[in-house]
Amino acid sequence: MNDVMPEGEAVRLFTVPITEELAQEAATILTRFRELADDALCVRDFNAFERNTNSVFRREAAELDGLREPLRTERRRLHSMLLQTASLTAENALDHVRALEHDILMQPPPVWSPLALSRVAMEGVLFTEYLFDPSIPLNRRLARLAGMWRTDATYVQKQAEAHGQEPAEAGQMLAYVEDALQKGQATERRNGQGKLIGYSFGSESATMDINITERATKVMPDWLPAPYRLTSGAAHNRPWMISRAKDLAGGDGFVGEAATVMAAVMVAFGSIEVAVGVVGEYFGVGVTEALRQMEEERTAFLYRAIGIAHAQ
């Protein structure tokens, strides 16, 4: 590895073009991480899972069982929607990791698309973590769902109206969500101007939607500084960032940089680790060994990648 740098100059790893060898290593380790996640979260003994009353999921199920009808049924429906939503965003995140594996292997090599794919993967995991967050009580979890669900229903209505649907037809999902929240005894929270800003269940409340930037700062691993901002320039096609690829090409076309691939892979690593950790804790599935193995393999990959990218 060529690690001889001029005196006083900072070492800047991976500021070299993407090679086929590095791309293959990156794609292989991403596949490995997805497999580790699948194995860690695959519950083979469902009887043991049902007996695990210490899991957040089982405690919340018992709390819902203690409610009187018809509130019990309505809150169970909301909780079921929460489980479906969190699972959906996690599946979408892993699908984008799979897409990243293939994107990295493109010829000629990709330029900024790896960062855009890794950002979607991270966002999906952050939505999942927001809903499965083991540190919050059930009523706040339901309040978070209420805000997200209501926000999505508004988006659906606006999209339907933009495609020419009649207001009554376009607002069907919104009407359904509002009815479900009312039956579940969700309380609307409004500001001084009457704008809906969130929901409450009992003494617990949440805003209308997740703050992605704030969540990424709080939740993503410490070894991955500012991942949301890192991927922002590429995902939003900002000239200040994408012009770097043209500079590397000497002004003629674009050149994909190894640093871009490495950043995307590390964001994907962090996202998968967060997903495994939060889903494991919420459902009471042991994932400690899987997370240890991920850390070990992530570190080993980093050293291999340095050797490949900076080989003499």
Side-chain angles (χ1 to χ4, degrees), residues 74-216:
E74 299 302 334
R75 289 277 176 93
R76 279 176 174 170
R77 286 174 179 167
L78 292 179
H79 195 244
S80 178
M81 173 56 68
L82 185 146
L83 299 178
Q84 292 175 31
T85 302
S87 297
L88 180 68
T89 55
E91 289 176 15
N92 187 57
L94 290 176
D95 180 63
H96 278 77
V97 173
R98 185 170 59 87
L100 176 60
E101 295 165 27
H102 294 279
D103 185 64
I104 288 172
L105 294 173
M106 285 198 312
Q107 289 297 326
V111 183
W112 294 115
S113 54
L115 285 182
L117 288 168
S118 68
R119 181 183 172 102
V120 177
M122 175 172 53
E123 289 189 359
V125 166
L126 291 174
F127 275 114
T128 300
E129 187 280 333
Y130 181 70
L131 293 176
F132 278 164
D133 181 357
S135 69
I136 62 174
L138 172 60
N139 280 355
R140 191 182 309 172
R141 196 180 315 285
L142 293 177
R144 287 181 176 182
L145 169 73
M148 283 182 56
W149 201 20
R150 175 64 163 72
T151 298
D152 270 11
T154 302
Y155 291 155
V156 170
Q157 180 185 36
K158 290 179 179 178
Q159 182 183 51
E161 290 175 348
H163 284 84
Q165 290 187 11
E166 293 297 322
E169 183 182 4
Q172 285 181 353
M173 178 179 174
L174 180 58
Y176 174 78
V177 171
E178 289 176 334
D179 180 65
L181 294 179
Q182 183 180 30
K183 289 177 178 176
Q185 296 185 10
T187 302
E188 293 184 349
R189 298 172 57 240
R190 296 184 179 273
N191 61 17
Q193 290 72 46
K195 179 182 178 181
L196 182 63
I197 59 172
Y199 285 91
S200 295
F201 285 79
S203 61
E204 298 292 338
S205 61
T207 57
M208 285 299 291
D209 207 359
I210 183 176
N211 183 321
I212 287 283
T213 305
E214 180 182 283
R215 206 74 200 163

Side-chain angles (χ1 to χ4, degrees), residues 12 15-17 111-112 238-257:
R12 298 187 64 191
T15 54
V16 294
V111 183
W112 294 115
R238 300 307 305 180
W240 67 266
M241 185 167 190
I242 62 176
S243 63
R244 177 175 174 80
K246 185 166 286 292
D247 293 341
L248 289 171
D252 183 21
F254 277 168
V255 168
E257 191 175 21

Side-chain angles (χ1 to χ4, degrees), residues 44-64:
R44 295 174 177 83
D45 184 355
F46 284 95
N47 290 326
F49 173 69
E50 288 296 323
R51 291 194 300 270
N52 186 4
T53 56
N54 290 324
S55 73
V56 179
F57 169 73
R58 294 302 301 166
R59 291 200 307 269
E60 291 184 344
E63 186 176 341
L64 291 169

